[in-house]
Amino acid sequence: MSKSFANVKKLAEEHGARILDLKFMDFPGMWQHFSTPISLLTEDLFVDGFGFDGSSIRGWQAIHESDMLVIPDASTALIDPFMKPATLSLVCDVYDPLTKEKYSRCPRNIAQKAEAYVRTSGVADIVYFGPEAEFFIFDDVRFDQNEHSGYYFLDSVEGCWNSGKDEGPNLGYKPRYKEGYFPVPPTDAFHDMRSEMLLTMEDCGLEVECHHHEVATGGQAEIDLKFGPLVKTADSLLLYKYIIKNTARKYGKTVTFMPKPLYNDNGSGMHVHQSLWREGQPLFAGSGYAGLSDMALHYIGGILKHANALIALTNPTTNSFKRLVPGYEAPVNLAYSSRNRSAACRIPVYSDSPKSKRIEFRCPDPSCNPYLAFSAMLMAGLDGIANKIDPGEPLDKDIYDMSPEELADVPSTPASLSDALDALAADHEFLLRGDVFTEDVIETWIGYKRENEVDQMRLRPHPYEFALYYDI
């Protein structure tokens, strides 16, 4: 019996697990799962896997070649904190049943290849990622779209729009628009819920740094995970989302990681901190701008050069581009700075320690598939290092004090998902190195997004168009 399987078996027995839950990542970026009796937890499962229908998973196999395998990763074993029968949860890799090789469109496989590419490149032996995902906690959400109507309705006990509502009684204490950053309770109505989220994460083995209310009204929040290796951090982010959504449901609330659910207030981003290390030593610390090494500046150069293409993977929804607009703290300027938060790349200056030296890419949002997004950012940064790409001069001015002539020299993020997909189609050679991404993955991603999201939005009348044009 292997040590890893023995540990999983022991965990199941200690908690009296009766159900085995197998989770894997679909192509767009959501966990999928199915469950079996715990009796199927055998050592053979970690070798032979378990079959399922891949044709029913978004962006995967055609129906005539639908059989796929999942093989669990023993290192991801935990007891699910929400299931009533004691349930052992395992994250799986997806395999082709004929070749017994990892499936090229499995996002976790792509992330594993990205980590391997770092090591074989000789640049570093580990890459760390630290995501800061934001989200909204709502009390009610309703939406519909059909041939003759389309609407959405959101509500939150924290919503500033409810200041005049008869709530029997209305106690006030609702964050004003753009003024939700760091208020104490009772204005911060969800402190205890977020604390339970944090403690549940810790019980599941996640390392959490802090939680707080975010800028927007209506229950915007943030819980920060500690940085970690690429694949492990992507695994952790999916568990993080799972815990947040299910904890909110216990409270009769609903959570969304949609980037821009509210009009005229801040959206939800996911700033991503990243750094390269070799033999236990940080490689981004140096004597250059903001205490960075040449390697770190070249990494930034790669991120900025390929930013338009990256955004098709880091901001992969049509809604993402309602956040990436000026005026709501969104980083729309493709430049770098040590303190300017409107710049796409920021260098945090909280500490002088070389170990804390990192770069922060501020464009991404939490709708992304983290395996793909982290891998793409890494590949862009490595391209910058390999080609010594100069990031140019830093943007250390207040963007709102700059003249139109100065602003004209600062490139901006794409205006739409369609534009970002065009950029990815034209610029993805850097992603193919080391066979990390494949042409099939890029083509499938672009085709799926165009057919299922861009075109579907383009074809439907928008409710606001009636306010603009009905009486035309």
Side-chain angles (χ1 to χ4, degrees):
M1 183 184 293
S2 70
K3 183 178 179 181
S4 58
F5 172 70
N7 291 338
V8 174
K9 188 77 170 174
K10 182 181 178 182
L11 179 66
E13 290 172 348
E14 286 178 345
H15 292 270
R18 300 183 64 192
I19 299 293
L20 172 63
D21 196 60
L22 301 175
K23 297 181 174 70
F24 61 93
M25 186 63 145
D26 72 6
F27 198 52
M30 291 184 65
W31 252 355
Q32 308 295 323
H33 84 128
F34 57 90
S35 301
T36 75
I38 198 66
S39 59
L40 270 69
L41 181 64
T42 65
E43 199 159 10
D44 288 344
L45 178 65
F46 293 81
V47 178
D48 300 328
F50 198 100
F52 73 100
D53 178 7
S55 69
S56 298
I57 304 298
R58 299 178 297 171
W60 277 7
Q61 296 293 83
I63 196 165
H64 66 278
E65 49 182 6
S66 60
D67 290 347
M68 304 294 290
L69 286 176
V70 290
I71 297 180
D73 180 341
S75 70
T76 65
L78 60 87
I79 299 300
D80 190 298
F82 300 103
M83 300 299 102
K84 286 186 178 178
T87 299
L88 178 74
S89 172
L90 286 162
V91 175
C92 302
D93 294 310
V94 180
Y95 284 74
D96 185 301
L98 298 179
T99 65
K100 294 296 191 293
E101 293 180 352
K102 289 183 179 179
Y103 183 40
S104 64
R105 296 184 200 170
C106 172
R108 197 167 190 261
N109 174 37
I110 293 168
Q112 289 165 343
K113 289 191 291 182
E115 280 193 321
Y117 182 69
V118 171
R119 294 189 293 271
T120 59
S121 72
V123 172
D125 52 32
I126 194 166
V127 56
Y128 287 117
F129 283 87
E132 298 178 346
E134 299 167 345
F135 54 94
F136 279 87
I137 303 167
F138 292 125
D139 289 270
D140 189 31
V141 55
R142 289 177 278 132
F143 51 89
D144 194 16
Q145 179 78 57
N146 53 50
E147 287 75 12
H148 67 95
S149 68
Y151 72 92
Y152 68 88
F153 178 83
L154 300 168
D155 207 5
S156 168
V157 69
E158 271 201 356
C160 191
W161 59 86
N162 281 324
S163 295
K165 183 179 179 181
D166 182 359
E167 295 180 335
N170 188 325
L171 301 178
Y173 299 117
K174 301 180 190 299
R176 288 176 285 271
Y177 297 104
K178 295 190 178 185
E179 293 187 25
Y181 199 59
F182 281 17
V184 298
T187 302
D188 179 1
F190 300 139
H191 171 86
D192 285 347
M193 187 194 311
R194 292 197 312 271
S195 290
E196 182 171 333
M197 292 169 178
L198 182 154
L199 293 173
T200 304
M201 290 177 193
E202 289 194 329
D203 289 343
C204 291
L206 300 183
E207 293 187 80
V208 187
E209 293 191 332
C210 70
H211 75 75
H212 58 83
H213 204 288
E214 256 300 339
V215 173
T217 190
Q220 193 183 33
E222 179 177 319
I223 302 176
D224 294 338
L225 292 173
K226 186 177 179 180
F227 68 88
L230 192 160
V231 174
K232 184 178 179 181
T233 302
D235 287 344
S236 296
L237 188 58
L238 296 180
L239 179 58
Y240 164 103
K241 284 187 170 185
Y242 181 75
I243 290 169
I244 286 174
K245 290 178 178 179
N246 281 284
T247 303
R249 187 180 178 92
K250 283 175 55 180
Y251 281 78
K253 308 290 185 181
T254 177
V255 159
T256 183
F257 289 90
M258 186 176 174
K260 187 76 170 183
L262 296 183
Y263 166 67
N264 210 30
D265 208 340
N266 283 35
S268 292
M270 188 178 76
H271 309 149
V272 182
H273 299 255
Q274 45 208 286
S275 62
L276 292 170
W277 291 55
R278 185 173 57 236
E279 297 178 353
Q281 297 300 312
L283 301 178
F284 277 7
S287 57
Y289 174 80
L292 293 181
S293 64
D294 288 344
M295 178 184 288
L297 289 167
H298 293 149
Y299 190 100
I300 291 171
I303 292 280
L304 294 178
K305 176 182 177 180
H306 300 296
N308 286 344
L310 285 180
I311 284 171
L313 294 161
T314 63
N315 304 72
T317 69
T318 58
N319 184 254
S320 298
F321 297 86
K322 293 177 171 61
R323 167 185 167 257
L324 284 180
V325 294
Y328 296 91
E329 299 189 13
V332 297
N333 303 292
L334 296 179
Y336 71 103
S337 174
S338 63
R339 304 190 73 177
N340 189 337
R341 291 172 184 261
S342 68
C345 281
R346 190 175 76 93
I347 301 94
V349 291
Y350 301 122
S351 170
D352 291 331
S353 169
K355 291 184 177 181
S356 70
K357 193 58 63 178
R358 61 199 186 274
I359 71 106
E360 174 192 14
F361 189 41
R362 296 175 60 81
C363 294
D365 68 55
S367 70
C368 71
N369 182 326
Y371 298 111
L372 302 183
F374 295 169
S375 299
M377 286 184 269
L378 171 63
M379 296 303 288
L382 291 177
D383 184 63
I385 293 170
N387 293 291
K388 294 182 167 52
I389 297 174
D390 183 354
E393 293 298 314
L395 180 67
D396 286 336
K397 298 180 180 179
D398 184 339
I399 194 75
Y400 301 108
D401 289 339
M402 293 175 67
S403 68
E405 292 76 20
E406 289 176 303
L407 279 173
D409 294 330
V410 181
S412 297
T413 54
S416 69
L417 179 57
S418 183
D419 289 348
L421 292 170
D422 285 344
L424 179 61
D427 176 26
H428 61 260
E429 181 66 31
F430 69 99
L431 296 172
L432 305 179
R433 289 174 191 148
D435 198 39
V436 174
F437 288 77
T438 63
E439 285 285 2
D440 172 66
V441 166
I442 300 298
E443 290 171 5
T444 302
W445 182 265
I446 293 172
Y448 179 89
K449 287 288 174 178
R450 287 201 185 283
E451 180 179 350
N452 294 283
E453 299 178 33
V454 173
D455 288 350
Q456 297 306 315
M457 280 294 296
R458 180 175 57 82
L459 292 170
R460 286 166 169 77
H462 188 285
Y464 194 61
E465 288 179 307
F466 285 84
L468 290 173
Y469 308 127
Y470 184 77
D471 60 349
I472 215 162

